[in-house]
Amino acid sequence: MVIGIIVFGSVFLVGLALGTVTRRPLATASLVVAAFVSLLVVQTHEPLAGFAAFALISLAGLVLDSMRETVGLLLGR
C-alpha cells in the first residue's frame, strides 16, 4: 500500500510539474493521473471501465481547477 501511495504521489507530482508549463497545474495533474489509472484498469481487460475512470478523474480535476479559479477571482487574487 505504501508503494502505491508513493507511485500515485509521484505521478501526481509529475503532472503538477507538467502543469506549470500550461499554467493549469491541477487540471494537468488530474489528466496525468487519470491516464495512469485508466492504463491500470485497461490491463484488467475492461476497456470501458478504463475509459470511465479516465473520464471521471479528469472531469473531477477540471471542475476542481475551475472552482479554484472562481474562488480566486471572487477573493481578488
Side-chain angles (χ1 to χ4, degrees), residues 3 7 13-14 29 35 39 41 43 57 59 62:
I3 293 173
V7 168
L13 288 176
V14 166
L39 282 176
V41 172
Q43 289 180 359
I57 294 171
L59 284 176
L62 291 173

Side-chain angles (χ1 to χ4, degrees), residues 7-77:
V7 168
F8 276 97
S10 62
V11 168
F12 183 74
L13 288 176
V14 166
L16 282 177
L18 290 173
T20 57
V21 176
T22 63
R23 300 195 184 235
R24 293 203 177 264
L26 193 58
T28 305
S30 68
L31 287 173
V32 170
V33 170
F36 181 70
V37 169
S38 67
L39 282 176
L40 290 177
V41 172
V42 166
Q43 289 180 359
T44 64
H45 304 291
E46 295 287 339
L48 292 177
F51 177 72
F54 179 80
L56 287 174
I57 294 171
S58 61
L59 284 176
L62 291 173
V63 167
L64 191 63
D65 188 52
S66 175
M67 288 173 46
R68 181 193 59 85
E69 187 175 332
T70 302
V71 169
L73 288 173
L74 289 174
L75 296 177
R77 293 182 185 185

